[in-house]
């Protein structure tokens, strides 16, 4: 658009006709947004001036349209024009109005200008532009604040503008802050409450940007204000109310810095609460407000100042409990509660709550003037904050909170009662299932919960019978959490809880959300408790659930169908138990599910749940259903042909095929397989996985075998799936092919024609490992056993040797060797011996296949003792002298595996060679490692004779002192595996070595323990468990690499066998936290001539420590000291790149699993994350630096994405501002962030099962 057209629009914007003006501003908004329209400085100034006049327009619609031009202008105009625009808007905001302002839609011109100013400041980019905007506005805002008798509307708008500038412009307000603070402090003493509140919010918003002296003065003034206004004779209670507001807002805005003022602020708050309680008799409303504000401030301190509040948790919890009972207008409740509490306590101890007061009606007290419920609600939220912020004090919380919460479950005010239930829900959420399973052990959370269970469920039942919708929902949520935390723990109470739940589901007037939650609880009860608990309720349960499947609301229907799946399992168990009177329920259940399955016009969720339910019903009750089962299966087959339901239907057929009802699908096998094989060509990964799983199940369980033509079809389609682009899919495809050859050996030729070529291509992949290699070994073994000419041993062997010869990596060669060994074992002794002879001849001639031959000899020797040692030892030892490292490594492997085949005969010779050949000690130690690792496997039949143990142990301990880390690592694995085979004396030797003066020996011993810990229980555990503390004590060693080895061992033990640690983990945790600090003594400078290089030896130690903390957090969060943990994490995020990345991952995990722990340090975390995201590379950065930087940004963004999903994170202003400044205002960063969000959604949707 030309400048002439813009001039025309500006002229029309000044027209006397309001419609002309409106249309002109609408067109100008499009012009300003159009990036192709070039605006020079003069035009920017002209348009800004016109927009300001448009904002002043007396017609509200016109003024609002002019406002829409402001946001795009902010991004386009230069700083000078932006500053003048802000100045003009703020000047109009601060102008006295005196009742002469033009009114429009309830707002005058000054208010419209204030809206415009806030709009501009909200969208201005942080940095120099924000600084220019704030500096332009600061003098006008200062004048308005200092003006005597300033109008209320003007002052309110001015304070709102300051608040918006503080929130969105951040550090740009630092210079202007000193101009505003005196006026803002004066506003705190203003007689107008609206002015006081806005001034308080403005000061709180500025607090994160204050320097230390200013912040300290603000906090001191707040505390003094609380103390100064204590007596009513010195200004009344209103000033105290304002300062209570101020205290809470300061803590919420900048909790990190407020830690330094907790010791002053907390006593003042407690004193205020005592004074407010005394004031209640004279001015109840003021007292209630002050008590509420005090409790809210305490809640903020618990959440945001957790480290410094922990020593005061007793006092704060006492306050919360005291004011949870605060009800001055209902005096009779106290005695009644005490009476009931005593009764509940005695009954709880006996474990039999008789519920004698079920028939009693609570006094119907009601007083609309009573506001004391606000205090009780604030107290409940305070207790909830304590529970959420201190998961490591669960026993203490149960012991001190449970009885009070049980009493307050009868609270007369609905909102407060719901919050009390929420505290109990939070308490259960923080309680781990592992602790609850030890409910019979005193001093465990589950012990306290079991004691409180009878009165707790009694109160829940009363709530479920009540009339309050919110109360019912809260009670159901509590039941939900209770059943989740105590699987099987409500067996004695099913008879009282279940009828109430069924009544709520069946009741016509119940809200949908209540019915859904009740059905969820019913399903959890059925899934987690034994069938005999429901014996008396089966008929009622069936009637209610079947009726619920006919509900109109789709979510209720879907949840009812989920419950019907659990009901089917229950009926199956009842049948197995000989209950004959349940037979009439099965046809009813089947008919109901079939009706839902056949319906077309219903929500997708209901269709999917009907398919799953039919699969469960058929799997469990097919005998009782009889011939009618085919009608349901036919409908399910039709669902496999529907694009939206096929995935669920395929999984359902896979379930049936693996169940006792597999005979039922025999008539449908051919059309079903045709559908499944066709779906293997689809792009949907989940669909192909489900199809492979179903095919494998059908092939394995086919009673009479599949038709050959059908098998050929499966083989052709499955062969197309074999590709290293998806190894998980490859493993499933190989399993299907193995099942076909196992069931139909004559199909081996078809497998050879269609699948061998892609299988050999897959064999070339360097990614090929156990999950795919094992089914591939099984397939080749079955092919050989099929005795088909196309898959003879000789032909397969030649192809495998050729694949090994052209292999490009050690992993590929090793894979080929494993398959050849499996092939030899399957072919029999004759083929095996001939293969061995050929391999040994290859070593003599040193042909191109020497590496393959060595690995094959090793794998065969591991499986069979063919007395190879004498004939091939010289050839293998000759390979040790090869100039090629890969040949020497293969020779070492082969020697070790063959010795393991007959260790009793050949191991002493290998040990003697280690002692006599120091130049080859590394290779011989590797061979010894293969021997020990192979023999330590429980499936191995070989052993080491007793006289060899001491000899091997002494050799290993001597080599453990070697300065070369490679040798020490080999020795460490040998020692660890030797522990699994030898007597207790070996552990005694290793424990004694922890006190050695040689630091290399100590590090090796620490590492060796890692290899002695297996996932499954082992006889050596009885000797290892008492010695674990001695080995972990090396975390406090004086040498950094010893500490690193001990930390890595601790991480491994926590991950594999947590039970071996006992209480030693808690004792060692303080030493673990210390390893996350940057130690100056480990930082050294290396002079490289032209430049110097800084080397941090502690970097690897810190990295290993954070990885260990991540493992501990995942497996036993309760042992962590939350304060120390988050403090270490906060420092780690500001550390070196190699530490930042694992810390970002750790933060993401913490946000997902224990989000509330993150909230009270979110300000510091946000600051460190922002520094990372604002890091810029040098202009001459190489590709490696660019890639590392990109990885760092992605890890930080993933952590931010995880944090953004924490409940109530939106109330954390610093985090929100950081996201707005660094991500939302940066298109490139926003693009990365959106990609990460999309990845997260795809991961959630992906169903690998």
């Amino acid at each position: 658009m030309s400048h002439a057209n813009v001039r025309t629009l500006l002229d029309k914007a000044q027209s006397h006709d309001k419609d002309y003006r409106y249309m002109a501003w609408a067109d100008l908004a499009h012009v300003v947004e159009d990036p192709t329209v070039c605006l020079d400085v003069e035009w920017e100034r002209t348009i800004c001036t016109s927009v300001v006049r448009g904002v002043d327009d007396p017609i509200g619609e016109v003024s609002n349209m002019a406002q829409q031009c402001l946001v795009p202008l902010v991004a386009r105009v230069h700083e000078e024009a932006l500053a003048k625009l802000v100045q003009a808007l703020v000047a109009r905001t601060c102008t006295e109005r005196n009742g002469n302002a033009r009114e429009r839609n309830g707002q005058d011109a000054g208010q419209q200008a204030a809206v415009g100013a806030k709009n501009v400041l909200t969208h201005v980019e942080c940095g120099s532009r924000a600084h220019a905007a704030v500096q332009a506005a600061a003098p006008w805002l200062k004048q308005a604040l200092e003006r005597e008798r300033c109008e209320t509307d003007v002052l309110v708008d001015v304070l709102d503008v300051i608040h918006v500038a503080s929130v969105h412009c951040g550090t740009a307000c630092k210079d202007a802050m000193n101009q505003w603070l005196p006026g803002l402090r004066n506003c705190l003493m203003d007689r107008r409450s609206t002015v006081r509140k806005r001034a308080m919010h403005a000061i709180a918003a500025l607090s994160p940007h204050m320097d230390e002296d200013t912040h300290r003065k603000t906090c001191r003034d707040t505390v003094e204000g609380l103390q100064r206004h204590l007596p009513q004779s010195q200004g009344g209670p209103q000033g105290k109310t304002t300062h209570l507001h101020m205290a809470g807002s300061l803590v919420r805005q900048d909790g990190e810095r407020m830690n330094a003022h907790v010791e002053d602020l907390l006593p003042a708050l407690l004193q205020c609460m005592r004074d407010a309680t005394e004031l209640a008799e004279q001015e109840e409303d003021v007292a209630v407000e002050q008590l509420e504000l005090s409790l809210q401030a305490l809640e903020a301190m618990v959440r945001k100042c957790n480290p410094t509040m922990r020593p005061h948790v007793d006092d704060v919890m006492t306050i919360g409990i005291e004011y949870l009972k605060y009800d001055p207008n209902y005096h009779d409740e106290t005695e009644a509660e005490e009476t009931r509490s005593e009764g509940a306590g005695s009954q709880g101890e006996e474990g039999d709550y008789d519920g004698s007061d079920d028939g009693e009606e609570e006094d119907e007290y009601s007083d609309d003037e009573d506001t004391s419920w606000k205090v009780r609600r604030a107290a409940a939220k305070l207790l909830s904050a304590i529970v959420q912020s201190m998961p490591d004090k669960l026993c203490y919380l149960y012991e001190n909170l449970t009885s009070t919460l049980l009493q307050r479950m009868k609270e007369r005010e609905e909102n407060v009662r719901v919050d009390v239930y929420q505290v109990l829900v939070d308490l259960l959420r923080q309680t781990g299932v592992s602790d609850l399973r030890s409910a019979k052990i005193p001093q465990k959370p589950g012990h306290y919960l079991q004691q409180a269970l009878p009165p707790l469920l009694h109160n829940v039942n009363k709530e479920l019978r009540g009339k309050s919708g919110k109360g019912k929902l809260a009670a159901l949520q509590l039941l939900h959490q209770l059943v989740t935390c105590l699987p099987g723990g409500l067996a004695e109470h099913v008879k009282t809880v279940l009828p109430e739940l069924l009544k709520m589901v069946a009741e016509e007037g119940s809200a949908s959300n209540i019915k859904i939650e009740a059905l969820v609880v019913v399903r959890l009860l059925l899934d987690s408790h034994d069938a005999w608990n429901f014996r008396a309720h089966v008929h009622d349960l069936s009637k209610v659930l079947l009726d619920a499947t006919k509900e109109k609301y789709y979510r209720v229907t879907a949840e009812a169908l989920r419950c019907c799946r659990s009901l089917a399992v229950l009926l199956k168990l009842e049948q197995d138990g000989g209950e004959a009177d349940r037979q009439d329920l099965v046809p009813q259940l089947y008919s109901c599910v079939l009706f839902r399955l056949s319906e077309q016009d219903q929500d997708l969720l209901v269709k999917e749940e009907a398919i799953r339910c039919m699969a469960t019903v058929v799997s469990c009750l097919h005998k009782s259903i009889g011939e009618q089962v085919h009608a349901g299966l036919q409908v399910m087959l039709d669902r496999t042909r529907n694009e939206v339901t096929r995935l669920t239907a395929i999984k359902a057929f896979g379930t049936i095929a693996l169940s006792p009802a597999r005979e039922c699908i025999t008539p449908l096998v051919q059309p079903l397989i045709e559908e499944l094989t066709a779906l293997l060509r689809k792009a949907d990964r989940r669909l192909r996985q489900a199809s492979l799983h179903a095919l494998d199940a059908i092939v394995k369980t086919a009673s009479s075998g599949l038709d050959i033509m059908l098998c050929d079809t499966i083989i052709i389609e499955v062969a197309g799936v074999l590709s290293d682009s998806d190894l998980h899919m490859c493993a499933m495809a190989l399993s299907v092919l193995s099942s076909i050859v196992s069931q139909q050996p004559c199909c081996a030729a078809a497998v050879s024609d269609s699948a061998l070529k892609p299988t050999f291509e897959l064999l070339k992949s360097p990614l090929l490992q156990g999950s795919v290699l094992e089914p591939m070994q099984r397939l080749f073994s079955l092919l050989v056993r099929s005795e088909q000419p196309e898959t003879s041993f000789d032909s397969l062997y030649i192809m495998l040797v050729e694949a090994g010869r052209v292999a490009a990596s050690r992993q590929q060669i090793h894979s080929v060797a494993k398959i050849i060994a499996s092939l030899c074992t399957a072919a029999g002794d004759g083929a095996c011996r001939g293969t061995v002879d050929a391999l040994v001849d290859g070593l003599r001639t040193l042909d191109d296949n020497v590496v393959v031959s060595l690995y094959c000899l090793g794998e065969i020797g591991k499986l069979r003792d063919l007395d190879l040692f004498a004939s091939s030892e010289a050839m293998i030892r000759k390979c040790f002298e090869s100039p090629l490292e890969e040949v020497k490594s293969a020779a070492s492997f082969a020697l070790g595996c063959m010795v393991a085949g007959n260790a009793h005969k050949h191991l002493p010779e290998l040990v003697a060679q280690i002692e006599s050949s120091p130049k080859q000690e590394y290779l011989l130690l590797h061979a010894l490692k293969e021997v020990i690792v192979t023999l330590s496997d429980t499936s191995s039949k070989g052993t080491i004779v007793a006289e060899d143990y001491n000899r091997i142990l002494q050799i290993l301990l001597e080599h453990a002192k070697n300065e070369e880390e490679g040798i020490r690592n080999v020795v460490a694995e040998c020692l660890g595996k030797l522990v699994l085979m030898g007597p207790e004396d070996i552990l005694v030797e290793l424990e004694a070595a922890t006190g050695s003066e040689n630091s290399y020996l100590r590090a090796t011993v620490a590492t060796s323990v890692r290899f002695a810990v297996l996932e499954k229980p082992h006889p050596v555990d009885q000797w290892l468990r008492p010695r674990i503390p001695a080995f972990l004590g090396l975390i406090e060693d004086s040498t950094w690499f010893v500490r690193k080895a001990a930390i890595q061992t601790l991480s491994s033990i926590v991950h594999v066998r947590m039970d071996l640690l006992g209480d030693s983990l808690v004792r060692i945790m303080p030493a673990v936290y210390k390893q996350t600090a940057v130690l100056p003594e480990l930082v050294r400078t290396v002079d490289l001539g032209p430049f110097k290089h800084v080397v941090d030896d502690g970097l690897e130690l810190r990295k290993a420590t954070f990885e260990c903390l991540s493992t501990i957090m995942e497996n036993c969060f309760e042992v962590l000291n939350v304060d120390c943990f988050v403090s270490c994490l906060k420092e780690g995020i500001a550390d070196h790149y190699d530490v930042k990345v694992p810390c970002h991952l750790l933060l993401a995990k913490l946000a997902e699993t224990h989000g509330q722990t993150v909230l009270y340090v979110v300000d510091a975390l946000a600051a460190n994350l922002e520094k990372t995201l604002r890091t810029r590379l040098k202009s001459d950065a190489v590709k490696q630096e660019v890639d590392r930087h990109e990885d760092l940004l992605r890890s930080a963004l993933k952590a931010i994405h995880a944090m953004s999903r924490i409940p109530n994170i939106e109330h954390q202003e610093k985090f929100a501002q950081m996201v707005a400044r660094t991500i939302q205002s940066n298109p490139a960063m926003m693009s990365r962030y959106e990609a990460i969000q999309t990845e997260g959604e795809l991961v959630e949707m992906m169903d690998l099962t």
Side-chain angles (χ1 to χ4, degrees), residues 361-376:
E361 294 292 333
E362 293 186 7
D363 296 341
E364 295 295 334
Y365 178 84
S366 177
D367 187 358
D368 294 337
E369 300 295 327
D370 182 19
T371 57
S372 62
W373 62 271
K374 296 181 180 180
V375 177
R376 299 195 297 276

Side-chain angles (χ1 to χ4, degrees), residues 797-836:
Y797 175 74
I798 292 172
M799 288 188 286
L800 285 169
V801 171
E802 178 63 21
R805 188 181 67 80
V806 300
S809 70
R810 181 187 300 179
Q811 178 61 44
Q812 296 172 22
I813 297 173
H814 205 168
S815 300
V816 170
K818 280 182 174 292
I819 295 176
I820 289 177
S822 300
L823 210 64
C824 292
T825 304
D829 291 342
C832 185
R833 186 170 295 277
T835 303
V836 170

Side-chain angles (χ1 to χ4, degrees), residues 987-1009:
L987 274 173
V988 174
E989 291 279 353
L990 294 181
E991 184 179 12
T994 59
S996 170
E997 296 181 357
N998 188 295
S999 57
Y1000 295 122
L1001 176 58
R1002 298 197 303 273
T1004 306
V1005 169
T1007 304
S1008 68
V1009 179

Side-chain angles (χ1 to χ4, degrees), residues 659-689:
S659 74
R662 52 183 170 271
E663 297 290 340
C664 298
I665 63 173
T666 301
L668 303 177
V669 165
Q670 182 170 348
L672 180 58
I673 287 180
E674 290 175 355
E675 289 294 329
L676 295 175
T677 52
L679 293 174
L680 291 178
R681 296 191 292 268
K682 298 290 184 180
D684 190 333
R685 183 175 185 269
R686 294 183 300 160
L687 196 59
R688 288 185 293 158
Q689 280 185 323

Side-chain angles (χ1 to χ4, degrees), residues 31 44 61 197 221 268 332 564 575 642 690 829 848 865 870 911 992 1040 1084 1106 1223:
V31 171
E44 287 179 1
E61 291 81 0
K197 288 182 179 179
D221 290 346
D332 293 338
C564 286
Q575 288 181 355
N642 186 299
D829 291 342
D848 294 339
D865 177 19
V911 174
W1040 70 269
R1084 52 193 171 88
F1106 278 111
I1223 299 177

